[in-house]
Amino acid sequence: MAAVKPKVIVFDLDYTLWPFWVDTHVYPPFRKTSNGTIVDSLGFKVSHYPEVPEVLNDLHKQGYVLAVASRTGEVVGAKQLMELLGWKQFFSHEEIYPGGKVKHLTNIKNQFGVQFNEMIFFDDEGRNIRDVSELGVLSILVKNGVTRKVVDDALTRFSKPK
Ligand SMILES: [Mg+2]
């Protein structure tokens, strides 16, 4: 029997894919230096959690549909950073603006014509996990950024009978 797979996987940005608040701890606009390092407008190096690019690439290659849900007010900076990191290619949809994650997840659900219980959501904040869980989305609290293990465990959990 084929494993049950989510139709859409949704990731928060701040403290889920990268280790800072893009509206507070770094200073957009960002740029890539000649050696490929990404820095903010003050010249500070900006990076992501180490396993994230590989995890996103693998999920994308396996055919999973990926989306972003972020409540940041730094919409332009967040999108610019995703572009510089080369992540835009992995994500089919972005919901990036202040407000509640219920709205973000509802828009993503409608965008792809799926059900809440066909999605997985990763976020570092308990309040977001609580709100989105109540919709019926399998919501995973991420402690130290997304890793291969975090994603693999979530996919395994999703595949088990509920
Ligand atoms: Mg966050």
Side-chain angles (χ1 to χ4, degrees):
M1 203 176 87
V4 179
K5 295 179 172 185
K7 291 192 174 160
V8 183
I9 303 177
V10 183
F11 294 94
D12 168 51
L13 291 174
D14 294 347
Y15 287 100
T16 297
L17 298 186
W18 54 52
F20 48 81
W21 282 330
V22 71
D23 68 349
T24 312
H25 300 143
V26 291
Y27 301 91
F30 305 99
R31 67 190 167 86
K32 206 175 242 181
T33 65
S34 51
N35 66 11
T37 305
I38 297 169
V39 296
D40 69 9
S41 62
L42 300 183
F44 290 113
K45 187 171 184 264
V46 173
S47 198
H48 47 73
Y49 286 112
E51 294 181 29
V52 167
E54 209 178 295
V55 168
L56 295 177
N57 187 41
D58 285 357
L59 289 171
H60 181 67
K61 269 197 311 202
Q62 289 168 51
Y64 287 104
V65 173
L66 309 183
V68 163
S70 169
R71 302 167 61 176
T72 187
E74 185 47 66
V75 178
V76 172
K79 290 186 175 186
Q80 193 213 356
L81 190 51
M82 288 178 63
E83 178 80 47
L84 283 175
L85 288 166
W87 293 356
K88 288 267 189 174
Q89 59 180 315
F90 303 135
F91 291 105
S92 305
H93 188 76
E94 297 163 4
E95 295 281 326
I96 306 178
Y97 48 84
K101 293 267 162 145
V102 167
K103 181 172 182 200
H104 291 135
L105 271 286
T106 302
N107 285 348
I108 292 168
K109 168 189 179 285
N110 293 338
Q111 170 72 23
F112 295 106
V114 299
Q115 302 301 314
F116 284 126
N117 66 6
E118 295 174 315
M119 304 163 76
I120 299 182
F121 170 59
F122 295 93
D123 196 291
D124 66 295
E125 291 189 46
R127 59 179 176 166
N128 296 333
I129 295 299
R130 184 195 60 217
D131 291 350
V132 174
S133 291
E134 283 172 4
L135 298 174
V137 177
L138 174 58
S139 301
I140 308 295
L141 185 63
V142 176
K143 292 288 189 188
N144 295 297
V146 159
T147 61
R148 178 170 301 283
K149 183 173 188 325
V150 164
V151 170
D152 285 350
D153 288 351
L155 289 171
T156 301
R157 210 174 128 191
F158 188 92
S159 73
K160 298 227 168 98
K162 289 155 195 92

